[in-house]
């Protein structure tokens, strides 16, 4: 098992969901099918793509067989993510056989990584579009209609799609992702993201706050601010695209530089009933200022995703994570000190190049130190073009990577359960998200620390409202209780 998946934000197992929106009025008669793989950022991008094409009159469909345009928004993070996409493309071939006019497009990180090579490798594909080129989609589709194959994989230093209001696909009307930055300037040696997503850039805070306010006005009660490294969010007034200056007054309390702590505060101030989550934090960048801001506002959730990757300083250095074991522990201590009741989750890679048994043990003891609430755990997968692929041999045999992963997963299961049990007997404020998977006699929702809570439906309570739930029992992944 590769994943423990308590929340959707980092849940890369949410693979291949078809995303559908309500039909728009100015229909051009064409139907779009879009399927997403990878991280929350990709799912959020698909909503931008749907919005760009909705403007051109496309409506979405959940059945690719009757779609005019079939898009697959792809992930390159590990080899198996790419394999999954290639297999899926084979399935689309049948549909295209029956409907030769169908446009098949590959979007996202794999498109960016493979560029026009994709057209050579996959005869079925008509369009290849990288993450910064989605505004060009209507034009690229036109080119395909004219009988060409089209590629746009230009990366941008500015594009944040700030002005595009994403259509919410498959939404429950309660939780939404809001992208606050794009790209990544860290060069973790194992990671393909800097190559597929380009340079880091932050989105105008005005447009972020406006989007969150709009979501709140429409009844949404939780936003998750997304970026590969949210702690390095930084907006300068001088960044305005039209060259005009933005005054400190315009930005409310913030000065003409807005950092992540300032942004969190601006979003938290929209309304106390709007929950604010964020992902991902980088251990080298998460500041005490951010921690104090989380502690100050009840509606900023006490939950931090702080990927450690490895508990060993030598491996961290090879990974180019730019912190060591002691630094990471100090950041965890700071979280515990400033936000005493804060859930922490992490990402872990097993079997990175040259990792010894002792070094792997350091990861296990790090897990004992932090006692993570959740973890996403992976075997190292060499990605072409990354620093690690160039510099180090992928020399840990697969069975050893797998055995180490198994140990890490077993330990995490133990701590996830320990953490859940700590909720027993407590009253938790839960945002009701809908009926539980198993029964429409039960509601489900999350507490502030992102744990799933299931409890009997009670009159007077609806999805989108908060309920105070007394936690009475738990399974290995879920808290169970009743509204009080
Ligand atoms: N920006 C985030 C993570 C993005 S990728 C961060 O810096 O934390 C999500 C996770 O995938 C990473 O945290 C890492 O644990 C895992 N990952 C990335 N590249 C990988 C690779 N080549 N092999 C295995 N796991 C990888
Ligand atoms: Fe990849 Fe590192 Fe950037 Fe995360 S911070 S996206 S792991 S390069
Ligand atoms: Fe996300 Fe995968 Fe790209 S994790 S940034 S979709 S490589």
């Amino acid at each position: 098992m590769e994943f423990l998946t308590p929340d959707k934000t980092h849940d890369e197992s949410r693979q291949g969901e078809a995303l559908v929106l309500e039909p728009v009025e100015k229909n051009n008669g064409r139907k779009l099918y879009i399927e997403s793989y990878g991280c929350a950022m990709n799912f959020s991008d698909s909503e931008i793509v749907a919005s760009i094409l909705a403007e051109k009159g496309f409506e979405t469909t959940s059945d690719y067989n009757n779609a005019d345009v079939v898009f697959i928004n792809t992930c390159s993070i590990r080899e198996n993510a790419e394999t999954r996409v290639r297999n899926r493309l084979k399935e689309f071939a049948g549909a295209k056989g029956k409907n030769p006019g169908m446009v098949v497009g590959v979007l996202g990180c794999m498109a960016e990584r493979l560029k026009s090579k994709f057209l050579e490798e996959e005869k079925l594909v008509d369009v290849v579009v990288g993450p910064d080129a989605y505004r060009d989609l209507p034009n690229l589709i036109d080119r395909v209609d004219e009988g060409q194959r089209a590629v746009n994989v230009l990366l941008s230093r500015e594009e944040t799609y700030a002005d595009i209001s994403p259509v919410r696909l498959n939404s429950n009307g309660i939780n939404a992702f809001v992208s606050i930055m794009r790209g990544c300037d860290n060069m973790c040696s194992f990671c393909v993201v800097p190559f597929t997503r380009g340079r880091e850039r932050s989105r105008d805070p005005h447009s972020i706050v406006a989007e969150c306010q709009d979501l709140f006005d429409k009844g949404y009660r939780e936003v998750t601010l997304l970026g590969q490294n949210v702690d390095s969010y930084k907006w300068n007034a001088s960044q305005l695209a039209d060259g005009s200056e933005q005054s400190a007054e315009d930005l409310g309390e913030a000065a003409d530089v807005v950092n992540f702590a300032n942004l969190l505060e601006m979003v938290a101030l929209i309304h106390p009933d709007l929950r604010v989550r964020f992902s991902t934090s980088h251990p080298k960048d998460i500041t005490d200022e951010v921690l104090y801001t989380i502690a100050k506002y009840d509606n900023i959730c006490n939950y931090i995703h702080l990927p450690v990757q490895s508990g060993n300083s030598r491996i961290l250095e090879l990974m180019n994570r730019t912190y060591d074991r002691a630094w990471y522990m100090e950041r965890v201590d700071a979280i515990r000190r400033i936000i005493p009741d804060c859930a922490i989750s992490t990402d872990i890679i097993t079997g990175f190049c040259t990792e010894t048994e002792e070094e792997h043990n350091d990861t296990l003891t790090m897990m004992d130190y932090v006692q993570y609430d959740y973890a996403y755990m992976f075997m190292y997968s060499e990605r072409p073009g990354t620093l690690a692929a160039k510099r180090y041999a992928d020399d840990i045999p697969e069975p050893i990577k797998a055995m180490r992963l198994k140990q890490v997963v077993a330990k995490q299961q133990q701590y996830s359960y320990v953490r859940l049990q700590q909720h027993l007997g407590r009253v938790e404020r839960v945002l009701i998200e809908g009926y539980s998977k198993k029964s429409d006699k039960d509601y489900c929702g999350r507490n502030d620390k992102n744990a799933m809570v299931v409890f009997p439906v009670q009159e007077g309570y609806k999805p989108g409202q908060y309920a105070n739930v007394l936690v009475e029992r738990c399974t290995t992944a879920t808290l169970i209780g009743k509204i009080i």
Side-chain angles (χ1 to χ4, degrees):
M1 188 183 73
E2 249 197 343
F3 304 100
L4 281 186
T5 53
D7 76 303
K8 288 182 179 172
T9 318
H10 322 283
D11 180 358
E12 289 155 38
S13 67
R14 267 202 330 153
Q15 303 295 354
E17 273 176 31
L19 300 168
V20 186
L21 76 149
E22 295 302 311
V24 286
E25 290 201 359
K26 44 177 178 173
N27 190 346
N28 66 1
R30 294 181 87 183
K31 290 201 178 78
L32 164 70
Y33 174 87
I34 182 163
E35 193 171 283
S36 304
Y37 292 77
C39 62
M41 209 80 189
N42 246 19
F43 281 74
S44 167
D45 279 1
S46 290
E47 300 187 328
I48 288 168
V49 168
S51 169
I52 290 169
L53 291 180
E55 275 296 304
K56 299 286 169 194
F58 281 84
E59 63 177 69
T60 52
T61 167
S62 58
D63 178 7
Y64 66 84
N65 284 299
N66 64 32
D68 302 287
V69 173
V70 173
F71 281 160
I72 182 161
N73 195 355
T74 60
C75 174
S76 287
I77 201 83
R78 284 168 291 275
E79 192 178 0
N80 59 11
E82 294 201 347
T83 309
R84 220 173 281 154
V85 166
R86 289 193 191 274
N87 289 338
R88 190 64 176 145
L89 279 171
K90 288 196 187 92
E91 290 170 28
F92 293 155
K96 184 152 174 162
K98 286 186 214 139
N99 173 9
M102 179 190 275
V103 177
V104 176
V106 176
L107 317 182
C109 291
M110 242 177 123
E112 192 61 52
R113 193 175 84 72
L114 292 159
K115 305 189 169 55
S116 55
K117 255 197 280 175
F118 227 121
L119 295 183
E120 292 152 32
E121 288 174 21
E122 304 278 351
K123 296 291 171 238
L124 163 81
V125 175
D126 306 294
V127 204
V128 176
V129 191
D132 286 347
Y134 296 145
R135 285 181 203 269
D136 198 23
L137 276 169
N139 167 44
L140 296 168
I141 293 173
D142 286 348
R143 296 236 298 271
V144 176
D145 290 341
E146 287 158 13
Q148 301 170 36
R149 296 170 95 195
V151 180
N152 187 342
V153 287
L154 286 177
L155 287 172
S156 157
R157 281 179 175 253
E158 288 91 33
E159 181 62 272
T160 58
Y161 301 109
D163 57 313
I164 293 182
S165 145
V167 288
R168 303 292 161 184
L169 297 165
N170 282 8
S171 169
N172 61 3
I174 298 165
N175 329 86
F177 292 132
V178 175
S179 169
I180 65 164
M181 56 205 294
R182 299 182 72 81
C184 183
D185 280 354
N186 295 315
M187 274 289 192
C188 302
S189 62
F190 52 79
C191 185
V192 79
V193 173
F195 303 95
T196 62
R197 295 238 158 208
R199 297 303 297 268
E200 180 183 290
R201 66 222 96 118
S202 298
R203 174 179 169 192
D204 182 342
H206 274 130
S207 75
I208 297 169
V209 172
E211 186 176 328
C212 295
Q213 176 73 58
D214 181 55
L215 285 163
F216 184 78
D217 295 343
K218 289 182 171 136
Y220 285 77
R221 290 296 174 265
E222 186 177 286
V223 290
T224 303
L225 308 180
L226 292 181
Q228 292 300 349
N229 177 4
V230 289
D231 303 288
S232 68
Y233 176 87
K234 197 171 178 194
W235 172 264
N236 298 311
S238 58
Q239 251 171 276
L240 274 184
D242 63 5
S244 64
E245 281 286 312
Q246 217 168 4
S247 69
E249 211 176 292
D250 282 345
L251 290 169
E253 287 185 16
D256 55 357
V257 173
V258 178
N259 66 16
F260 183 57
N262 306 142
L263 179 73
L264 265 182
E265 179 156 55
M266 289 161 76
V267 178
L269 285 169
I270 290 174
H271 198 283
D273 280 344
L274 181 68
R275 268 189 177 171
V276 186
R277 299 190 186 276
F278 53 90
S279 178
T280 299
S281 300
H282 195 298
K284 86 173 152 59
D285 292 320
I286 190 164
T287 60
D288 285 359
E289 189 189 2
V290 165
L291 302 180
Y292 283 115
T293 307
I294 299 169
K296 182 171 166 194
Y297 291 95
D298 278 347
N299 58 330
I300 305 180
C301 292
N302 287 0
Y303 170 53
I304 298 175
H305 184 60
L306 196 69
V308 65
Q309 314 299 0
S310 162
N312 175 268
S313 295
R314 189 187 75 89
I315 293 295
L316 287 169
E317 181 158 2
L318 291 187
M319 288 178 164
N320 201 24
R321 288 288 288 182
T322 69
Y323 55 85
D324 60 11
R325 180 180 171 92
W327 172 279
Y328 187 91
M329 286 174 155
E330 189 283 325
R331 289 290 78 201
V332 169
D333 295 346
I335 295 170
R336 302 273 183 242
R337 188 174 68 242
I338 298 168
I339 320 165
D341 192 30
C342 187
I344 304 179
S345 62
T346 201
D347 294 343
I348 291 171
I349 297 177
T350 65
F352 187 67
C353 315
T354 73
E355 184 188 65
T356 65
E357 212 45 51
E358 292 72 52
E359 289 166 338
H360 162 65
N361 260 327
D362 283 347
T363 299
L364 296 172
T365 58
M366 180 65 94
M367 295 175 79
D368 293 327
Y369 185 78
V370 185
Q371 306 199 3
Y372 294 106
D373 291 70
Y374 317 113
Y376 303 87
M377 298 156 283
F378 317 100
M379 287 192 277
Y380 172 59
S381 164
E382 186 179 78
R383 307 311 295 130
T386 55
L387 291 181
K390 287 184 192 152
R391 286 185 193 161
Y392 317 119
D394 179 12
D395 57 355
I396 306 301
E398 187 95 357
I400 294 187
K401 285 180 183 171
M403 195 191 64
R404 291 179 187 169
L405 178 65
K406 210 168 144 199
Q407 290 172 356
V408 163
V409 168
K411 192 173 274 292
Q412 185 49 44
Q413 275 172 335
Q414 183 194 324
Y415 284 124
S416 289
Y417 192 51
V418 166
R419 288 295 183 198
L420 277 183
Q421 283 180 314
Q422 289 174 344
H423 294 90
L424 297 184
R426 287 208 215 166
V427 175
E428 303 279 340
R429 190 162 189 253
V430 177
L431 174 59
I432 307 173
E433 293 181 15
Y435 293 106
S436 87
K437 265 191 210 145
K438 289 198 187 128
S439 155
D440 59 11
K441 293 198 173 65
D442 290 328
Y443 276 145
C444 68
R446 283 161 208 282
N447 69 3
D448 175 71
K449 292 161 82 180
N450 214 27
M452 185 55 90
V453 190
V454 171
F455 47 96
V457 170
Q458 192 168 305
E459 213 167 306
Y461 289 88
K462 286 193 310 226
Q465 291 182 342
Y466 291 93
N468 289 322
V469 177
L470 172 68
V471 178
E472 296 170 314
R473 323 180 261 128
C474 71
T475 67
T476 50
T478 312
L479 300 173
I480 302 164
K482 61 169 188 247
I483 296 180
I484 54 158

